Amino acid sequence: MKAAVKISVVYLLVGLLWIIFSDRLLELIFTNNNTISLFQTTKGFFYVFLTTLLIFFMVRLLVKRHQQETLNRINKEKELITLLNQNDQFRHLFEQSTAGMVITDPNKKDNPIIYVNEGFEQITGYTTEEVIGGNCSFLSDQRDLSNNISEINQALENQETVKMELKNYRKDGTFYWADLKISPIFNTHNELTCCVGVLEDITEKKIKTDFMENQLKIAKEMLSPNNIRDTIKNSCQMVEDHLNMGCMILRIDEKHQTYELFGSNSIPIAIINKIYERAYNERSQVYLKMLSNSGSYELKDMMEHEVYGFYWRLLYEEGFRSFNVKPILNEKGQVLGGFFVFSKQNENVESIMLQTIENYASILSISLKHMDYVKEIEQSERNYRLIADNTKDMICVIDSDLNTEYISPSYELYFEGFSSFNDLINTLPATSRLRLIGYVNQLIKEYELRRIELPFDIDQQTYQLEVDGKQIYDSEEGKNKILLVFRDITERKCYEVSLNHVLYYDSLTNLPNRYYFKQLLEGMISNYDQLALLVLDFDQIKEISNTFGQGAGEYLLNNVADRIKNLIPDATIARTGEEQFSIVSKQINDKYELEKKVKQVLAEMNTFWHYQAHQFVTTVNIGAALFNDQTAETIILQAELALKESFKQGKQRYYIYKDAMKEGNISSLSLQNELYHALDKDQFEIWYQPQIDTVSSKVEGMEALIRWNHDTFGIISPSQFIPIAEETRWIIPIGTWVIRQVCQDLVMWLREGLSYKVSLNISYVQMEDEMFLTKVKEILEETGCPPHLLVFEITENMLMKDLALSLNVINELKILGIEIAVDDFGVGYSSLSYLKQFKLDCLKIDRSFVTHIHKDINDYAIVQAVTEMSQSMGLKVIAEGVESIEHVHLLQRLGCEHFQGYWYSKPVRKELLPEKIQTIHREKFISSQ
């Protein structure tokens, strides 16, 4: 508007000047009025023409600008409509996200918040109304705010996404660690329109990560030569920086009857100073134990204590409101002190924080123990300095030319008749002399070397000297010298020999133990082409010891080697187990000779043993193997496999390893390896066995049974691979797959208008899995399977194995709507009284009671009792193992109405199930009437 006024004024002035001055000019030039009038008319036409032309171009320019603005507005409206549609989609996504989503407007002052989702509200505690229009800085630690803003602004200038880890604060004042990712959003004209931030609460992850780092730092601090008190104080500060909580460690020094306090920076110094004035007594220790028992307190409840209220008030004045305390104990359970963490909030500490506090208490307890240990070391060092002047260690100082500058008087304890380093060298044997000279020459070049050992003989007795050398600088003389310390380690070397005997030999028989025997065998294998290994196992040593006394068993074990040596003189014998001996011979060349020797040993071991006034015999089994380029580990394994095979044949037996055994034994390992890949290769199948309701004469449900259809081995029975799966815990993913597959099949049948209940077996390993219930819920939600169509079968022994676990899992499953059946009932605890504790729906009578029910009166009575008692408790009863019409009639007379067994159908594949059900209706129901 201002520009238009200016142009109009200029135009008016120009026009007026033109009229006035042009008329004046004409009057000066021309005197004739007609001529002047003619020129004035011409001038007027020219001015009108020029004005018209100017107006034309101005109107044309305005029209073009108006058209362009109209077009831009239309395009902008289209973009806005598209953006609104996209915003609705993104808004829906944002609202569904568990992460905090926040959008700000960078084009406005202070970059205000224009949108947050529910995830943001849950993480921060602020509502949408409280944060809209504000800046995000209220969430952050003000100390880090400027750095964070600089980093964000730099990223926005570079049109880049920025990701950072922040320490934020919720509305209630509690801090949390957040992972923030900010992305600038540009329109089609590359103009910045908004910033989208994604906020994730990583507190738990951060606490765990920082704890691991601090744990390592604390460990390094303890291993460093730093002052242990500084280490503990630094550790307290690490805890404060990590948990945002004040940290304090109270140490009780029972020996000196004093306290010692270590605290982070937020702990009032007055407490640390005052604690030294507090007298140590039994009452204070009782008070600390009392605090440690409960763990969590509010400071306002502690301030009135007659003795310790002063300390709590100091902490309260610093802004702390609650604290947690953990006792620090030594190995004997005695209180060394307490680990305190103080919070400025009254709320209960989260479980992850409590766990972290406990972990810190455990680590820092090591620091206190280490402190006591360091004190002991310091005391020992003081004592050592007192003794050093009179030590038996020989100390020698020489220069670079090997001239002796000092030798301690203790040299007389080792050598006589010398007073210099050169005399000492000449006294040593040639090998030791050359080694010591080389060591000294190397020390002249280097600052410090590892210790060396020098053997020497005195009066026909061998001694060992340990030499520790170091290059030192004599500041007075201004030159380097060599310090040598000689120590008599003869006794230690003898101890090492004794220790090696303990490590490598059996303490009772003085024979090589299993570890040393393997080393001996490896040495023999590298030096000999023909070897034989025998492994003997006595199975009555304990009975002999219990009958004739402990000495009888020890007598037998001590004399086994002598008997074997009489038969195999070159034998290397070792005690490789409590009742097991291993024998290696280099003179047995073939299987015939090996079998002959084994029989001789077996016969010799079976003769009478005489101990004091007693005589007795014992039985032994032997496994043997011939060397054929195997490793030591392999031939030992082969002999032990042969030993196991001999036990299968009975007592006093032997067995010589054959290659065929290898195949049979490794099959389980091979099966384990194949099982690992079975799920990925889609080799598992679900087969179904119908369950019959004889009252309604219909198939009421079925049991889902897993089968392994291996590419090479064909159908593998569950009895072969389920134990392996449970032992390796692969039953967890396999069981999850079974549940999902069954749920999918149930949903498919429902779509076809069929409704069956399907029972499936649950392993105890699955019940132990903390994610089991979560996985079941997820599968039900994913598949849409009605939970009331599922029946989880749990064996009786599983229920009793861990009552608390079983009750919890079963109650949770019942809440989901899943029915519970006890499988193989009667073979476990067989007590219905236990079952009152569980919310069961069904009992399945084990097939072992049904198979011979028509022959065995005991089985008949058991089935009758279980049926009657179960019905009185309102439990459904299913009889398993029904294999004949006779079984059906007998069970019906006992009141049993639900059956499962081969009489009706074997387990079949899913695709064969419809035909099998038709066959049951057509043939079995008629015959069972």
Side-chain angles (χ1 to χ4, degrees), residues 386-571:
L386 293 174
I387 299 170
D389 294 336
N390 301 301
T391 181
K392 291 183 179 181
D393 292 349
M394 183 175 67
I395 300 172
C396 180
V397 179
I398 59 176
D399 61 17
S400 57
D401 296 324
L402 307 187
N403 296 316
T404 306
E405 299 208 354
Y406 172 79
I407 288 185
S408 62
S410 56
Y411 74 88
E412 296 178 351
L413 298 173
Y414 305 100
F415 308 101
E416 294 181 1
F418 78 88
S419 59
S420 70
F421 181 70
N422 288 321
D423 292 339
L424 184 151
I425 290 176
N426 295 329
T427 306
L428 294 174
T431 304
S432 298
R433 180 168 61 249
L434 291 174
R435 189 174 186 190
L436 179 57
I437 293 173
Y439 182 71
V440 171
N441 288 333
Q442 194 68 24
L443 273 175
I444 294 173
K445 301 174 184 177
E446 299 183 28
Y447 174 72
E448 192 171 5
L449 295 174
R450 289 186 176 182
R451 299 168 182 172
I452 61 171
E453 295 178 2
L454 301 176
F456 67 97
D457 296 327
I458 297 178
D459 297 333
Q460 298 181 344
Q461 185 173 353
T462 300
Y463 291 86
Q464 290 277 351
L465 276 181
E466 180 183 75
V467 183
D468 191 4
K470 185 177 181 180
Q471 185 185 115
I472 59 175
Y473 180 73
D474 188 338
S475 59
E476 292 185 4
E477 297 185 12
K479 63 179 181 180
N480 292 327
K481 297 180 180 180
I482 304 299
L483 171 67
L484 298 173
V485 179
F486 297 81
R487 179 175 293 114
D488 183 2
I489 59 169
T490 306
E491 186 176 342
R492 191 183 79 190
K493 297 300 287 187
C494 292
Y495 172 75
E496 288 177 0
V497 172
S498 301
L499 182 61
N500 286 337
H501 191 274
V502 171
L503 292 174
Y504 295 120
Y505 289 87
D506 175 56
S507 60
L508 176 64
T509 62
N510 282 324
L511 295 173
N513 58 20
R514 186 179 186 88
Y515 175 74
Y516 187 37
F517 173 73
K518 185 180 177 183
Q519 293 184 0
L520 293 173
L521 182 58
E522 287 172 346
M524 292 181 188
I525 285 174
S526 61
N527 295 319
Y528 297 95
D529 296 329
Q530 295 177 334
L531 293 171
L533 173 62
L534 289 71
V535 180
L536 285 68
D537 194 292
F538 293 87
D539 64 349
Q540 292 179 318
I541 299 294
K542 290 182 180 178
E543 289 86 342
I544 290 170
S545 297
N546 292 336
T547 304
F548 303 108
Q550 184 69 28
E554 293 177 355
Y555 168 80
L556 186 151
L557 295 171
N558 276 313
N559 287 274
V560 167
D562 293 337
R563 290 198 177 190
I564 294 172
K565 282 285 187 180
N566 292 333
L567 298 172
I568 310 175
D570 73 316

Side-chain angles (χ1 to χ4, degrees), residues 181-196:
K181 181 179 180 183
I182 301 175
S183 301
I185 305 300
F186 298 88
N187 61 16
T188 55
H189 303 294
N190 202 31
E191 297 171 340
L192 181 62
T193 59
C194 65
C195 293
V196 177

Side-chain angles (χ1 to χ4, degrees), residues 721-767:
F721 69 84
I722 290 296
I724 297 175
E726 291 184 331
E727 183 178 353
T728 59
R729 298 185 69 82
W730 295 338
I731 193 68
I732 294 174
I734 293 173
T736 302
W737 177 86
V738 171
I739 296 171
R740 179 174 281 105
Q741 191 63 43
V742 168
C743 287
Q744 290 173 351
D745 289 345
L746 281 168
V747 171
M748 180 193 68
W749 289 327
L750 284 173
R751 290 174 185 157
E752 295 174 357
L754 302 172
S755 180
Y756 299 116
K757 282 194 175 183
V758 176
S759 59
L760 57 151
N761 293 286
I762 301 299
S763 166
Y764 182 76
V765 178
Q766 288 175 267
M767 290 175 61

Side-chain angles (χ1 to χ4, degrees), residues 655-669:
Y655 197 91
I656 298 175
Y657 178 81
K658 302 174 184 176
D659 287 339
M661 291 177 62
K662 186 177 179 182
E663 299 174 4
N665 190 277
I666 295 180
S667 61
S668 62
L669 181 59

